[in-house]
Structures are given as structure tokens and as C-alpha cells.
Amino acid sequence: QVQLVESGGGLVQPGGSLRLSCAASGDIFGVNAMGWYRQAPGKERELVAAIPSGGTTNYADSVKGRFTASRDNAKNTIYLQMNSLKPEDTAVYYCNADLVRIVDYRRLKLWGQGTLVTVSS
């Protein structure tokens, strides 16, 4: 079974930092693009950072200069370092991956289970 497992959410004060992780596990042939999304209460899910398998990461304007996404291809893992957090960053954060599984070489687009980030004093 191929899946994405996230970790690292929690409660943080405004101005604080958190680091999220997302690991793809299972019988994976290869991973293409990965990304971070978030969904705040009452709002639609939005892209936070798009991380291609090669090339430049693209960020939402609202997080540029504060969030940094990175990728470890050897571990099929991505990270999201979030600094200078604001109350409006409060949301459930999801990772997403475009990958190919070994069993049938089928291309899949998977979502992680989500991790809650709450920014509040």
C-alpha cells in the first residue's frame, strides 16, 4: 500500500515556527511533483508550495519569505519550514504527491491525512 504520512503540526504563538514533514511510503517506483496545501475553516483548500521533482519551488504569495519547502528525494519526503507564523496561517495542512507505484506502474495522486496548525496566543 502506498501512502503519505504527515507529522509536525501543533499549537504555536504568533511569530513562532513549526516544521511539517510528509513521507511517501510503500512500493513506489517514482515520485514526481509533491506539494503542500492548506484548508482554513470555512475556506477552500489552497496551494501553499508546489515542489517539482526538479526545478524551482513555487509559493503562494501569502507565505513567500516566511515558509520554505524542501525535498529529500532519497527518502521520498518533503518538509515545510514555517517561520513568522500568523493567526491567518491557522489551517489543516495537507501534502500531495504525484507518484507511480511498482505493483502495476499506475500513476496515482495521493493526499496525506492532514495535520492541524493553530497559531494563537
Side-chain angles (χ1 to χ4, degrees), residues 31-53:
V31 182
N32 302 312
M34 300 184 76
W36 289 101
Y37 291 74
R38 67 185 181 184
Q39 188 166 17
K43 295 187 177 181
E44 293 186 355
R45 192 171 298 188
E46 63 175 359
L47 177 68
V48 175
I51 313 165
S53 57

Side-chain angles (χ1 to χ4, degrees), residues 8-41:
L11 173 65
V12 63
Q13 293 187 343
S17 298
L18 277 177
R19 188 188 193 216
L20 307 182
S21 300
C22 171
S25 64
D27 294 329
I28 297 170
F29 176 75
V31 182
N32 302 312
M34 300 184 76
W36 289 101
Y37 291 74
R38 67 185 181 184
Q39 188 166 17

Side-chain angles (χ1 to χ4, degrees), residues 4 7-9 14 22 24 38 40 42 44 47-49 54 68 70 75 105 112 118:
L4 300 180
S7 61
C22 171
R38 67 185 181 184
E44 293 186 355
L47 177 68
V48 175
T68 302
S70 59
K75 297 181 179 179
Y105 296 101
T118 303

Side-chain angles (χ1 to χ4, degrees), residues 2-120:
V2 179
Q3 60 181 350
L4 300 180
V5 178
E6 300 179 39
S7 61
L11 173 65
V12 63
Q13 293 187 343
S17 298
L18 277 177
R19 188 188 193 216
L20 307 182
S21 300
C22 171
S25 64
D27 294 329
I28 297 170
F29 176 75
V31 182
N32 302 312
M34 300 184 76
W36 289 101
Y37 291 74
R38 67 185 181 184
Q39 188 166 17
K43 295 187 177 181
E44 293 186 355
R45 192 171 298 188
E46 63 175 359
L47 177 68
V48 175
I51 313 165
S53 57
T56 304
T57 297
N58 292 312
Y59 296 92
D61 288 342
S62 58
V63 306
K64 283 181 181 177
R66 300 188 297 121
F67 290 11
T68 302
S70 59
R71 177 168 177 162
D72 185 336
N73 288 326
K75 297 181 179 179
N76 289 329
T77 299
I78 57 173
Y79 306 92
L80 186 66
Q81 178 66 43
M82 304 183 292
N83 298 328
S84 302
L85 282 160
K86 304 176 182 179
E88 51 264 43
D89 294 319
T90 296
V92 177
Y93 284 70
Y94 298 90
C95 63
N96 173 270
D98 178 357
L99 54 80
V100 178
R101 66 185 182 190
I102 289 177
V103 64
D104 55 6
Y105 296 101
R106 181 179 177 185
R107 186 173 180 178
L108 303 174
K109 291 189 176 182
L110 298 181
W111 290 94
Q113 81 279 11
T115 186
L116 178 62
V117 172
T118 303
V119 184
S120 175

